[in-house]
Amino acid sequence: MDNDNLHNELIQKVLLGDASEQEAKQLDELLVSDAGVKSLFNEMKKLYDVTEMDKSFYDKLDADKYYNKFIETTEGKEVIPISSESNSNYTFLKIAAAILISVGIGYQFLGSEEVVIVEMAVIETNTIEKTEEHLMDNSDVKLNINSKLTYPKSFSADKRIVELKGEAFFEIEPDSTKPFIVKAGNVRIKVLGTAFNVNANNPDSVVVTVKEGTVKVYLTRQDKGVILTANEKGTVLNTKNLTQANNDNMNYLYWYDGVLTFEDATLDKVVSTMNKVYGINITLANEALSSCRVTASYNNFEASKIFKLLEMTLGLTIEDQQEEIVITGEGC
């Protein structure tokens, strides 16, 4: 078997979870040393991510039938021909080509061979405006700024899959026969019906926070993961390390409900939250101020109004000094 064949087989094993520890290590080394292997791996991974297919699918799929059906639907689009003689992994690359060269088209796999071309919807927000989307299954999605949601206009018979870039809050219509799956990079969030927030603004640090119900968070092509319930969060760091913890951020939904809530919070915690929420630079003039505590709820308040309330309740002085806002006082 030549190197191309070996590389194709090795990549498939790793993506399907069949590789030994030694084989996985071998691929890691090749990805660093061989640009060709890295390019092939990236293309094959895109296929796996898009289709969510399992091993039995590859065993039964008629690649020629699939590819020909795709060609029938792509009149006027550039198609890259693939020769069975020049590519050892002919079946796989045919499928990959069909998916990778398509734009705005999704695939719904029925049985072992039949393929239905599914029209995709794309919702994007800019740097200022957020938006809401009501899906065909009666689920609702609130999309934060600088975010993108891609989903089929018609869900498949056995699952509801959407893809998120950025941040969104999901309120999913319950359906025990058709799980709802959110794809965010290599992170998967699977639910039957619940409410949760996904912050995937940074692909290296995806945070899933549950408001109500139960959510399963796992990595691509891994059954193992964590089960999150209300007031818990799951964090994926560096696209591979998954942790579970209680949610200590009461204001994680401020971006869409506009409510800031503090319960016996230290003033430095309040300042840190306001800096993030309002994009400003507030500093404490002295360390003694950190011990001041705040219990309050602010509904769609401007920062200036919160400053006035803090001045009155804590006896502070808050001044805008051009590049920063400085809080002064004797402490609490």
Side-chain angles (χ1 to χ4, degrees), residues 241-299:
N241 298 317
L242 175 58
T243 61
Q244 178 179 9
N246 291 327
N247 175 38
D248 57 0
N249 180 9
M250 298 182 64
N251 298 301
Y252 72 99
L253 292 179
Y254 172 84
W255 66 266
Y256 99 87
D257 65 18
V259 179
L260 276 181
T261 301
F262 300 103
E263 291 185 4
D264 197 32
T266 59
L267 186 57
D268 58 348
K269 178 68 173 179
V270 174
V271 165
S272 176
T273 299
M274 290 187 66
N275 282 337
K276 291 178 181 178
V277 167
Y278 295 102
I280 54 183
N281 181 25
I282 312 170
T283 62
L284 300 178
N286 60 74
E287 190 174 342
L289 292 170
S290 298
S291 60
C292 295
R293 293 187 173 272
V294 178
T295 296
S297 183
Y298 309 110
N299 191 348

